[in-house]
Structures are given as structure tokens and as C-alpha cells.
Amino acid sequence: MEWTKLWLQEPEAHDFPAAADYLGLLLAPGEVERIVDGLRAAPTEAKKAKDILRASALPLLPADNLHVKHNIQKVTSGRKLSPVLLLRGTPLVIADGYHRVCAAYHLTEDLIVPCRITGR
């Protein structure tokens, strides 16, 4: 499966506010703003779905999870997924795109996932 056919080149505009909402549960507002600005400016990198899941220490959601299933159907119908937004740390924080990473893993665990990564 050619991964470049599955993913948009850039994150969608709504991904950044979604990341900020999630990060706002973990971090102070000023830090969230700085991190989201870093995600906007970061280059897009390619990482394997299995490595993102391992580094995040999050469980693989089942393929029948509503949002994972939606993303799998999106790909199989020819529509592209948005790159994921990550905060480097131990564990890695998936600021936006957890369901997309799980969908990618279900398609094939070695599937390349484009992502934006920043640190604190």
C-alpha cells in the first residue's frame, strides 16, 4: 500500500485547535500555545504506525471503534487522512490523530504515517 496515496501533505486547519484542546488538559495555556505554534512550524516527518503506538504507550484501538472504522473507510474510499500531531516526550503524546494512527496500524502496522513533531 503506497502511503503517499493515503495522506494529505499538510494537517487540516481543525487539527491544530483539536490538539490544543487535548493538550489543554495536560499543560498550562501558555505552554499549549507555544507547542501548537511549534507543531504548525514543524516539518512533516514520516514514522511507522507501530512505532508511534509503542512510543505513546497507548493501546491499539479496535478496528470496529467508530472513529477508527471511519478512518479506515475513508482510506478505502480513496479519501486522504490528515497527518498526526505529536509532542515528543516519554511517553510520546499524540496531540491529534490517535484514531488515524490506529486505523493506519490496522491497514498494516508498518504503514508510514506523516506527522508533525515538536518538543516542550
Side-chain angles (χ1 to χ4, degrees), residues 8-22:
L8 297 170
Q9 293 294 319
E10 300 290 327
E12 296 181 88
H14 64 84
D15 294 338
F16 296 102
D21 286 345
Y22 176 70

Side-chain angles (χ1 to χ4, degrees), residues 31-99:
E31 192 173 6
V32 170
E33 184 177 337
R34 186 178 51 72
I35 288 168
V36 171
D37 287 346
L39 289 168
R40 287 182 193 279
T44 302
E45 299 181 34
K47 302 292 180 190
K48 290 182 181 177
K50 66 182 179 184
D51 293 335
I52 294 170
L53 278 177
R54 282 189 351 203
S56 72
L58 292 170
L60 173 64
L61 295 173
D64 64 354
N65 171 281
L66 178 66
H67 300 290
V68 174
K69 184 177 179 179
H70 171 75
N71 284 309
I72 292 170
Q73 290 172 340
K74 192 173 179 179
V75 166
T76 58
S77 71
R79 293 178 296 160
K80 294 184 176 188
L81 300 176
S82 183
V84 300
L85 305 177
L86 307 173
L87 176 59
R88 187 170 275 115
T90 306
L92 176 75
V93 175
I94 301 176
D96 185 68
Y98 179 34
H99 295 97

